[in-house]
Structures are given as structure tokens and as C-alpha cells.
Amino acid sequence: MPDKSSAAKPLTIGNLELYTIETGRFKLDGGAMFGVVPKTLWNRKIDCDEKNRILMATRCLLIKSKTTGRVYLVDNGCGDKFDEKMQKIYSLNFNHSELVRSLEAVGVAPSDITDMVFTHLHFDHCGGTTTYDENGELEHRFQNATYHVNKRHWYTATHPNAREKASFLPENIKPIEESGRLNLVDDNHAFEEGFNTIPMNGHTIGQQLPFLYDDDITIVYGADLLPMHAHVPLPWVMGYDMFPLQTLQEKEPFLEEAAGNHWYIFLEHDAHNEIITVNQKNGNFTMDQSFTMKELV
């Protein structure tokens, strides 16, 4: 059992305690991550390797409720189920961090998680749900957790189109379906006071962004609406998005509110920026400041 006395100090929002959970690093093609934005532009902000891949975080969020006693985990990274070939393709690196190790560092065991909140079910967001045991059989890491998935997204994940199919891996999706602990939620679902979700449909149908707030501070989990600080400018949209024009339409009002109300945006995939704020000037959006969770405590 983890030593809870040595756990890091959380950021408190209302009756919610927030911890950053780093689950590893991986790499994706830089061109795919920035769509129509040419390499001559995105490479000024993000370095790439000889294969044109950029370093990506899989940064998750742990939320403890002092009101209900619930322990929520938002997304859980790529997991460790890839074979050697896939590990090389994505350059998975658990030396930097790893899901269970990061949970233990804040005094939490996988069995303590009561609620697994998925923004969506692409492999880099839900791969850590299960792992292989010593017999090569799939086992659930979070055996006491309810799995929360947006209802419209669940249909997408279980009836994928040809383009998105490669992101919905059966070894990730099937165990969730068969667990008996799947809870399909509607858009704008409220988990409890100060914690609800915002639906976004450009990247994939039914993506849900956790939104945490009190009278003093608001943090929104950027997921794949804003995966990295370089995606703040409106036209900087991923090639992975199913509906890029819809992403564009969703980003503008989101960023207007974020800039106007000084929201903190928690970045899931930015290897170097954990939480940012944004500026708006003459219709253009830019990153303002960058913080770690510890700096906000």
C-alpha cells in the first residue's frame, strides 16, 4: 500500500483535491499532429526526431472529493500492452513516468480509484485500463472503478469508421464493455458540485472535457481539443481530428472564454507545458503563461 503520508500537496478547488499523474512519454508524427500547418512553422515550436516524430506526454488528472469520498482518474495513458513492434513505432518510454508509479507517489493505489473518467477511448487515453498478467491474460487495473464514457462516444468507439478504427483497440475497448462497470453519460454530465464535463465533437464524436471550478479558479482538461500549447492558434488543428472544421468552430468560443475568464488549461499531451493560460488580441489566441500544478498550489 502506498505511503499516503509522503503524498504531494494537492491543488484544492472547492472540495476537490487535484494531482497531476504522469503516465509516460511516446512519439507521434509531427505532420499528423498539426494537420495543414507546414513543418517550417510547427517545428519552430516543437522539435522532432529523424523520423519526424514529436515527443508527447500522457498526462492524467487525479481528483479526490472531500464531499463524496470519490477518487476520480481522468484518462490513464497508453498502457503497457503494446508488443515490441508497436513500442518501437510509438517510442513508448516509461523511464520518465508510469501510471501505477505516479499514483503511488501521491499515496493512491489503483484499487482506490472509484471512478475512471474517459475523455474518449483512443488508445493513448485508455490503454492503462488493463494490463497482461503473468499468464498473458488481460486484467483490470482499476477493479473498483466505474468507467464513465460519453454515450455518443461509446457508439463511435464500438462502431468506428475506417479512418478512426486504428485508434480504438479491441484489447482496450472490449474489457471496458464486459466489465459490468460501464456507465454511459450524457453531454454536460455533472459528477458533483464543481466538476462537470463539456462535450466536443471535432476530434472525435462525444469527447468530454472535465471542467473543475469554484469561485476563485477554473481548470479545464484540454484532452485532444488542445493537446499541446502549440495548438492554441485557431488554425493549428490536428490531422487526427475526424471533423477539423468543427474543431475550429469549437476552439474559438472555448478560447474566448478561457482568455476572458482566466481559465487554466491542463494539457494532456504537451511534454513541456503542464497547465497554461491564454491571451486574446485582435482575434488571435496565444499562450500566456505556463505553470506546473505545484506552482498553483
Side-chain angles (χ1 to χ4, degrees):
M1 193 66 183
D3 178 8
K4 299 187 179 183
S5 65
S6 63
K9 186 177 180 182
L11 172 66
T12 300
I13 298 181
N15 286 317
L16 303 171
E17 297 179 340
L18 278 61
Y19 302 83
T20 296
I21 302 296
E22 297 277 4
T23 73
R25 294 289 186 265
F26 74 119
K27 292 182 178 180
L28 285 178
D29 182 81
M33 281 300 295
F34 292 103
V36 299
V37 178
K39 183 178 180 179
T40 51
L41 292 182
W42 63 253
N43 201 207
R44 296 176 189 173
K45 297 185 178 185
I46 306 287
D47 292 331
C48 63
D49 66 12
E50 69 284 354
K51 296 181 179 179
N52 208 51
R53 300 175 305 177
I54 62 174
L55 185 64
M56 306 275 289
T58 46
R59 182 178 296 115
C60 305
L61 185 63
L62 181 75
I63 305 162
K64 292 183 179 181
S65 172
K66 292 185 284 186
T67 301
T68 64
R70 311 300 294 179
V71 181
Y72 304 90
L73 181 63
V74 180
D75 287 351
N76 56 43
C78 294
D80 58 7
K81 300 191 296 294
F82 280 159
D83 59 23
E84 185 176 354
K85 177 183 177 183
M86 295 295 282
Q87 286 190 34
K88 287 182 178 179
I89 289 173
Y90 292 108
S91 191
L92 286 171
N93 178 3
F94 297 117
N95 293 324
H96 174 276
S97 52
E98 185 272 333
L99 173 61
V100 175
R101 201 163 72 229
S102 293
L103 287 170
E104 289 177 344
V106 296
V108 173
S111 58
D112 294 330
I113 304 298
T114 60
D115 298 84
M116 187 68 243
V117 180
F118 294 110
T119 60
H120 60 298
L121 295 173
H122 289 166
F123 71 83
D124 52 324
H125 297 259
C126 70
T129 307
T130 53
T131 188
Y132 290 118
D133 64 18
E134 61 274 10
N135 298 316
E137 300 293 328
L138 282 172
E139 66 177 8
H140 288 261
R141 273 210 174 96
F142 308 103
Q143 298 186 2
N144 298 317
T146 298
Y147 300 135
H148 302 281
V149 181
N150 177 277
K151 191 179 297 181
R152 292 184 300 114
H153 182 68
W154 181 253
Y155 184 85
T156 295
T158 53
H159 301 80
N161 60 56
R163 183 163 175 250
E164 201 171 9
K165 188 175 183 179
S167 293
F168 294 123
L169 303 182
E171 61 267 33
N172 291 336
I173 307 296
K174 203 68 176 173
I176 294 173
E177 184 175 29
E178 296 174 346
S179 68
R181 293 180 276 122
L182 173 62
N183 179 42
L184 299 180
V185 301
D186 292 319
D187 290 355
N188 302 298
H189 180 74
F191 286 97
E192 58 181 88
E193 185 176 355
F195 178 14
N196 57 269
T197 59
I198 320 170
M200 296 287 172
N201 302 293
H203 177 62
T204 184
I205 292 173
Q207 179 181 206
Q208 54 181 358
L209 308 187
F211 189 84
L212 304 126
Y213 61 94
D214 62 15
D215 291 338
D216 300 314
I217 185 172
T218 295
I219 286 187
V220 59
Y221 192 90
D224 279 348
L225 176 71
L226 286 175
M228 310 174 81
H229 80 283
H231 290 97
V232 170
L234 286 179
W236 291 53
V237 173
M238 287 192 290
Y240 292 113
D241 286 5
M242 292 300 102
F243 309 100
L245 289 179
Q246 185 158 352
T247 297
L248 199 62
Q249 292 168 355
E250 291 170 341
K251 278 178 69 175
E252 186 167 16
F254 175 89
L255 288 169
E256 284 178 350
E257 284 206 61
N261 297 307
H262 197 72
W263 290 354
Y264 293 95
I265 303 172
F266 188 96
L267 301 179
E268 187 162 10
H269 288 314
D270 195 312
H272 306 293
N273 298 276
E274 185 175 331
I275 298 169
I276 64 170
T277 55
V278 296
N279 270 331
Q280 180 182 16
K281 186 177 181 180
N282 299 324
N284 297 315
F285 297 97
T286 56
M287 182 178 79
D288 180 18
Q289 292 180 282
S290 177
F291 307 87
T292 65
M293 186 76 79
K294 292 179 181 178
E295 291 172 333
L296 295 181
V297 171

